[in-house]
Amino acid sequence: MGFLWTIIFMAVVGAAIGAVTNHLAIKMLFRPHEAKYIGSWRVPFTPGLIPKRRDELAKQLGITVIKHLLTPDIFKKKYFNDAMKSKANDFVVKQLNKNILQSDKTVHGWLKLAGIESVPSLVNAKIDEQVDIQFNRILAKLENETIRQIAPLDWQEKANSKVGDIVSYILHKGEEFFQSEEGKSTIKKLIDDFLSTKGTLGNMIQMFMGDSNSLVGKVQPEILKFLRAPGTKVMLENIVQNEWEKLKDRPLAEMMEGFDFDPLVVNVKAYLREQLAIEDRLNYSLNHYFPGASEWVETQMVPKITNFAFVEAESKLEEVLRKMKLEEMVKEQVDSFPVARLEDIVLGISKREFKMITVLGGVLGGLIGIIQGLIVFLTS
């Protein structure tokens, strides 16, 4: 009977020692959270294993994250693939169509959203300013330059070639005029005026030549003969050509002197405002001006931009991860994480397993106690 009680006693003691030892070992992973001192002497096994090795743990976690958890290859496999690219493309197209391209908001509304007010007034003022600037620039240029300097060479050559046509036209019209009754009346008036200014000489001419009507009949054929003569045309062509050459070398400012250009400038400004109609144009949506924009964005623009963005992001991924310094971020987060909170998380997740370890310690301690009891009995 004493043997049985000895075995039971040693089994109970062994089980208690095993269970308590395992329980304390689990607790000593986290507790105490801080080092304990008696005077200047630090109590052994304080703080607990995890608080004591927090710096090393944080450093190893950071290295593990960089080398095994958040590597560039993992990011590329997870995010830089055709499926993710397709999702990004669809998302961008959907947002652009919904919020911009197919929106009912007018151009004026978009400008107002961007903080730009009174656009018609600003645009019209800019138009007036540019018209004044350009017109003053043209006038300044014309004041110092001639037709020969400003007009293109082919224009000048074209004008030179038209001198003969102009002279022919003038002579033809002159013939028609002097052959008409109006021309005869003009010749008669000229003769009368000429004779009236000559006094006695005029009377003598009329006496020998007859009255002014007779003189008209004699003068008119001579005028027509003069106009039809080849030499007349050559003479007039030379005169016109010489005057044209002189005219090309005169400053344009001389020819424009006395002209008031203000009404012209006002009309140009009014015409531009009327044609641009800025205020009316701002009251339409973007879809009104770009009806095919949605299709173009979906098939052309967004795929190219998305593809470019993915290629560039993938090529810069390693550099970005390096600049993010994830290892340091993980270390800082672990260093700043309260040990008590970490203990609650670990125990909350593995509470059942830790109980089983404590029970297992008790079971093993009990078995060891029984074995010890048997050894004591056999050796006594």
Side-chain angles (χ1 to χ4, degrees):
M1 191 66 179
F3 165 72
L4 182 60
W5 282 111
T6 300
I7 295 297
I8 294 173
F9 174 76
M10 296 189 73
V12 171
V13 171
I17 292 173
V20 171
T21 301
N22 281 10
H23 181 71
L24 288 175
I26 293 171
K27 288 294 184 181
M28 287 176 67
L29 290 173
F30 300 96
R31 295 177 181 272
H33 296 161
E34 299 176 352
K36 304 297 182 181
Y37 292 89
I38 299 176
S40 60
W41 179 69
R42 182 173 64 85
V43 178
F45 306 110
T46 63
L49 178 62
I50 291 178
K52 185 177 182 180
R53 300 290 184 128
R54 173 186 284 191
D55 291 341
E56 185 177 346
L57 176 64
K59 183 178 180 180
Q60 290 300 320
L61 281 174
I63 294 173
T64 301
V65 167
I66 291 299
K67 291 187 175 181
H68 303 287
L69 299 181
L70 298 179
T71 64
D73 290 338
I74 291 176
F75 276 102
K76 290 178 182 179
K77 184 178 180 180
K78 181 70 175 177
Y79 297 107
F80 295 92
N81 51 59
D82 293 338
M84 188 59 67
K85 188 184 296 185
S86 178
K87 288 181 180 179
N89 188 81
D90 293 343
F91 175 79
V92 174
V93 169
K94 182 179 180 181
Q95 294 302 315
L96 286 175
N97 286 333
K98 178 181 178 181
N99 299 318
I100 299 178
L101 299 177
Q102 295 180 359
S103 172
D104 293 332
K105 186 175 292 185
T106 63
V107 176
H108 180 73
W110 287 111
L111 292 173
K112 188 175 182 180
L113 184 65
I116 304 175
E117 301 284 351
S118 304
V119 175
S121 300
L122 293 174
V123 173
N124 289 331
K126 196 66 177 178
I127 291 172
D128 293 347
E129 179 185 352
Q130 288 301 314
V131 170
D132 290 334
I133 292 174
Q134 296 301 323
F135 197 78
N136 290 331
R137 186 176 297 171
I138 292 172
L139 288 179
K141 186 174 182 180
L142 295 180
E143 286 180 358
N144 301 317
E145 297 187 3
T146 63
I147 294 177
R148 192 184 301 277
Q149 293 173 315
I150 293 178
L153 184 60
D154 58 334
W155 288 17
Q156 297 183 40
E157 292 177 351
K158 190 71 174 177
N160 293 337
S161 66
K162 292 295 182 181
V163 170
D165 296 336
I166 294 172
V167 170
S168 297
Y169 178 80
I170 293 173
L171 293 174
H172 176 68
K173 288 298 180 181
E175 288 184 38
E176 289 183 353
F177 175 76
F178 285 111
Q179 286 177 340
S180 65
E181 292 300 323
E182 183 182 359
K184 291 180 181 180
S185 298
T186 302
I187 294 172
K188 182 177 182 303
K189 185 176 184 305
L190 290 173
I191 292 173
D192 290 341
D193 291 341
F194 174 76
L195 295 176
S196 65
T197 60
K198 300 304 178 181
T200 305
L201 179 61
N203 293 330
M204 292 178 62
I205 293 173
Q206 285 182 327
M207 185 187 310
F208 288 104
M209 303 294 296
D211 59 10
S212 58
N213 290 324
S214 299
L215 290 174
V216 168
K218 296 176 181 180
V219 172
Q220 183 189 33
E222 294 301 322
I223 293 176
L224 295 175
K225 183 179 179 181
F226 173 77
L227 293 176
R228 293 167 182 167
T232 303
K233 182 179 180 182
V234 173
M235 178 189 68
L236 289 178
E237 286 181 354
N238 291 332
I239 293 173
V240 173
Q241 186 67 46
N242 290 335
E243 292 302 318
W244 167 236
E245 292 297 328
K246 294 178 183 178
L247 183 64
K248 287 194 291 185
D249 291 324
R250 290 178 61 188
L252 287 172
E254 293 182 9
M255 292 181 281
M256 295 188 301
E257 188 175 357
F259 282 89
D260 184 10
F261 292 102
D262 290 340
L264 175 62
V265 174
V266 171
N267 290 334
V268 170
K269 291 178 181 179
Y271 176 78
L272 291 176
R273 288 188 180 187
E274 180 182 354
Q275 293 301 312
L276 292 175
I278 299 298
E279 190 167 359
D280 293 337
R281 296 178 187 276
L282 293 179
N283 290 325
Y284 294 99
S285 65
L286 293 176
N287 190 47
H288 173 78
Y289 292 106
F290 309 104
S294 296
E295 182 180 357
W296 178 78
V297 164
E298 183 176 355
T299 59
Q300 300 292 329
M301 187 187 80
V302 173
K304 292 180 180 178
I305 293 177
T306 303
N307 186 67
F308 174 80
F310 269 71
V311 170
E312 287 297 310
E314 187 173 359
S315 65
K316 301 292 184 181
L317 180 60
E318 293 188 18
E319 181 181 353
V320 171
L321 291 177
R322 185 170 61 254
K323 290 184 177 180
M324 288 177 65
K325 298 180 179 179
L326 293 177
E327 182 178 346
E328 294 183 9
M329 292 174 59
V330 173
K331 184 177 182 301
E332 290 175 1
Q333 291 301 312
V334 173
D335 284 338
S336 63
F337 201 77
V339 178
R341 178 60 179 159
L342 179 62
E343 180 184 6
D344 292 339
I345 293 174
V346 174
L347 293 179
I349 296 173
S350 306
K351 185 176 182 180
R352 182 177 178 183
E353 285 73 13
F354 284 148
K355 284 184 177 180
M356 292 302 298
I357 291 173
T358 302
V359 172
L360 180 60
V363 172
L364 292 176
L367 291 175
I368 293 173
I370 292 173
I371 293 172
Q372 287 177 334
L374 290 174
I375 293 174
V376 170
F377 176 76
L378 293 174
T379 56
S380 60

